[in-house]
Amino acid sequence: MFGIATLWTRISKIRERFTPIQLLVSTYFGLIVITFVLLCLPFFRYPGVKVSFLDTFFMAVSTISVTGLSTVSLHEVYNNYGIFLLEFLFQIGGFGVTMIATVGMIITGQRISLHHRQLIQVDMNQPRLSGTVRLVYSVFGLMMVLQFVSGIIFSAYLYLTDSLYDLKSALFEGFYIAISAVTNAGFDVTGKSLMPFRHDYIFLLLVILLILIGGIGFPVLIEFREWLFLKIKTHGKGKYRFSLFSKIAFLFAVIFFVVGAILIFLSEAGHSFVNMPWGEKIITSLFYSATTRNAGLQLDSLTGFRTTTLLLFSILMFIGASPSSVGGGIRTTTIGILMLYMMAFIRGRKNVNIFGRRIGQDDIQKAVVVVNLSLMLCTAAILILSFTEKASLISLVFEVASAFGTTGLSLGITSSLSLVGKCVIIILMFVGRVGMLYMLMLFVSKREQDFNYKYPTEKVIIG
């Protein structure tokens, strides 16, 4: 007992030396290591199937980052126990390790320490420490109910409409699709993704809705729920004030979804959409506008799309989902704030205003830094892959955007990547899940501080 107490004391002292961001990133890496060990166990694979350590580690990173890229065929490697393990890990990777840990502590009646609340604040991208535990519990409950209800709906749909599914298969497939859509995991365990359902418009609309809900941002969902309850309670007379984050996140999520769908429709109207009915053209455009922003599910072989469309997919994957969601990428609010800043600059305005509020200068600086460094990272990755891989440039750009955006779509080159190529994609998936901003702050010491002195200003010629 004395030895355990001493060890715990030493661990606590070491932990105090690190910032919450450093601890959070370290926790995700530790979780990847645990996942790697679990996936190495033959219990979760079919008998006789062997997977290299690098491919298993690739799979571990892809699982925890809920990316969906894989160097092996999941339906040929992992048995039902392995698929159940992956579904469980999707939840941890999508919701975040601190959310799962917090819910476990609440259920077991443990006290949530201040240090743990700081980790929640960092992981959930919250500006304030107060209310973080309540947010975690509310989000977890809401998302689990959503997965359960949608899983039942999908299972019932498959069982009643498709003779190929018995009750057990329908439940397995239905809940997997629900979990994969909500957590934006995108792993293909059948080898067909959603191709068998491409003509089931209602089915696809529900999948699109789940993808959008998973990527809109947890705080947005909670505020929407509170608004809805207030309207019901006051018979539509109550007024609810949404936060600026929720307004911006929702606005740009809708903009990127609608504009993306329109551009996909225009790009493929004279190509792969030529022989499609109008309804199928619209549904397919909406689906790919949603799935490229993190889900990774697909209806067709992506090699049939124009290069223009593939580049558009890459841009959407690079942007990704909203902060505090299950998705990755540079995030919608980041690119949104950058766009607002450019519009203000062109108009000669010093302040960036929206919805009756002014966006802080520090948020603008963060957006500029995140976008620029993310572009630099992805460009460097493309240059390295163009040297090490035997694939077309569009395939490499697509693969890099998919990994950084934790989307999981691919033009079929993932399994043929070289050792260096796999390592590059692993890094991109990890950075895309944790976030470029947190990766930068990972190297900031707890003792460093910003001293409030200023040097004289001098103009520099730009442009």
Side-chain angles (χ1 to χ4, degrees):
M1 291 295 292
F2 176 75
I4 296 176
T6 304
L7 178 62
W8 182 254
T9 302
R10 290 181 179 178
I11 293 175
S12 299
K13 289 182 179 180
I14 294 174
R15 187 176 61 178
E16 291 174 357
R17 300 176 186 174
F18 297 98
T19 64
I21 291 177
Q22 291 171 336
L23 285 173
L24 181 65
V25 175
S26 301
T27 302
Y28 273 107
F29 184 77
L31 187 58
I32 288 172
V33 173
I34 295 174
T35 302
F36 167 74
V37 173
L38 290 174
L39 293 178
C40 284
L41 299 177
F43 176 77
F44 297 109
R45 300 197 300 266
Y46 287 114
V49 176
K50 295 182 179 180
V51 182
S52 68
F53 286 128
L54 180 58
D55 288 336
T56 303
F57 188 75
F58 188 103
M59 186 65 189
V61 177
S62 185
T63 301
I64 297 304
S65 63
V66 284
T67 300
L69 290 175
S70 176
T71 56
V72 297
S73 297
L74 302 188
H75 62 284
E76 297 177 356
V77 174
Y78 298 103
N79 55 30
N80 287 341
Y81 296 109
I83 299 302
F84 285 134
L85 173 65
L86 291 177
E87 290 184 359
F88 174 73
L89 294 172
F90 294 162
Q91 306 285 6
I92 298 177
F95 294 152
V97 63
T98 56
M99 179 185 293
I100 302 298
T102 303
V103 172
M105 294 173 70
I106 293 174
I107 293 175
T108 56
Q110 298 183 47
R111 177 179 172 272
I112 310 294
S113 65
L114 177 61
H115 192 77
H116 189 84
R117 293 173 189 268
Q118 291 175 331
L119 288 177
I120 299 173
Q121 181 185 12
V122 171
D123 197 20
M124 299 287 288
N125 286 290
Q126 291 301 294
R128 294 180 299 274
L129 194 62
S130 61
T132 52
V133 175
R134 182 174 61 86
L135 174 64
V136 164
Y137 197 68
S138 299
V139 167
F140 183 81
L142 179 63
M143 298 299 278
M144 293 305 294
V145 169
L146 181 64
Q147 290 184 49
F148 179 78
V149 173
S150 57
I152 292 294
I153 293 174
F154 284 143
S155 300
Y157 179 84
L158 294 176
Y159 181 70
L160 296 175
T161 61
D162 197 329
S163 59
L164 297 177
Y165 289 93
D166 55 22
L167 182 59
K168 182 179 178 181
S169 300
L171 287 171
F172 179 84
E173 184 77 9
F175 272 92
Y176 183 85
I177 293 173
I179 293 173
S180 185
V182 173
T183 61
N184 286 192
F187 280 103
D188 181 12
V189 296
T190 63
K192 300 178 182 179
S193 193
L194 295 183
M195 295 179 188
F197 312 106
R198 66 162 300 108
H199 300 295
D200 295 330
Y201 299 161
I202 296 178
F203 184 92
L204 293 180
L205 284 174
L206 182 55
V207 172
I208 291 171
L209 178 62
L210 293 177
I211 293 172
L212 295 177
I213 290 175
I216 195 66
F218 299 141
V220 180
L221 294 178
I222 295 303
E223 290 190 24
F224 177 79
R225 189 195 66 172
E226 293 175 350
W227 169 82
L228 183 62
F229 284 175
L230 177 64
K231 290 297 182 180
I232 295 175
K233 185 178 180 180
T234 60
H235 303 287
K237 298 179 180 179
K239 293 184 178 180
Y240 183 85
R241 179 179 174 182
F242 288 93
S243 66
L244 182 60
F245 166 78
S246 293
K247 292 178 180 179
I248 294 178
F250 182 80
L251 171 65
F252 284 100
V254 172
I255 289 176
F256 292 134
F257 174 62
V258 174
V259 173
I262 293 174
L263 293 178
I264 292 170
F265 181 90
L266 294 176
S267 177
E268 292 296 324
H271 187 58
S272 63
F273 290 178
V274 170
N275 298 320
M276 290 184 183
W278 274 93
E280 188 173 350
K281 292 179 180 179
I282 295 174
I283 291 295
T284 305
S285 300
L286 292 173
F287 180 85
Y288 278 106
S289 181
T291 193
T292 51
R293 297 252 320 287
N294 276 125
L297 301 170
Q298 60 190 80
L299 302 176
D300 318 87
S301 173
L302 300 179
T303 55
F305 289 105
R306 291 180 185 271
T307 301
T308 304
T309 308
L310 296 176
L311 286 173
L312 177 59
F313 286 173
S314 300
I315 293 173
L316 292 174
M317 290 189 292
F318 179 75
I319 293 173
S322 300
S324 298
S325 71
V326 297
I330 60 174
R331 311 303 203 270
T332 54
T333 54
T334 303
I335 193 69
I337 289 176
L338 183 62
M339 292 170 61
L340 292 172
Y341 173 66
M342 290 190 294
M343 292 172 58
F345 180 83
I346 293 172
R347 295 177 180 179
R349 299 175 181 176
K350 294 184 178 180
N351 297 320
V352 179
N353 303 316
I354 185 172
F355 296 121
R357 293 291 184 270
R358 178 171 61 87
I359 297 176
Q361 191 65 31
D362 56 337
D363 290 330
I364 297 174
Q365 290 177 341
K366 289 177 183 178
V368 173
V369 169
V370 167
V371 171
N372 286 330
L373 286 178
S374 298
L375 286 171
M376 292 171 61
L377 175 65
C378 290
T379 301
I382 293 170
L383 288 174
I384 294 173
L385 293 179
S386 65
F387 180 76
T388 61
E389 311 304 318
K390 296 180 180 179
S392 63
L393 182 59
I394 183 59
S395 297
L396 299 178
V397 171
F398 196 89
E399 194 81 5
V400 166
S402 178
F404 182 77
T406 66
T407 306
L409 294 174
S410 176
L411 293 177
I413 69 170
T414 310
S415 58
S416 61
L417 290 173
S418 65
L419 187 148
V420 175
K422 291 176 183 178
C423 292
V424 169
I425 297 301
I426 285 173
I427 293 172
L428 289 172
M429 290 190 295
F430 186 76
V431 174
R433 176 59 183 93
V434 174
M436 177 59 73
L437 185 61
Y438 285 173
M439 290 302 298
L440 294 175
M441 298 176 69
L442 176 65
F443 302 101
V444 178
S445 172
K446 194 173 184 179
R447 298 172 181 173
E448 292 186 30
Q449 54 181 326
D450 183 15
F451 297 101
N452 292 321
Y453 58 78
K454 298 180 181 179
Y455 290 106
T457 302
E458 183 173 347
K459 291 289 185 179
V460 177
I461 299 174
I462 303 294

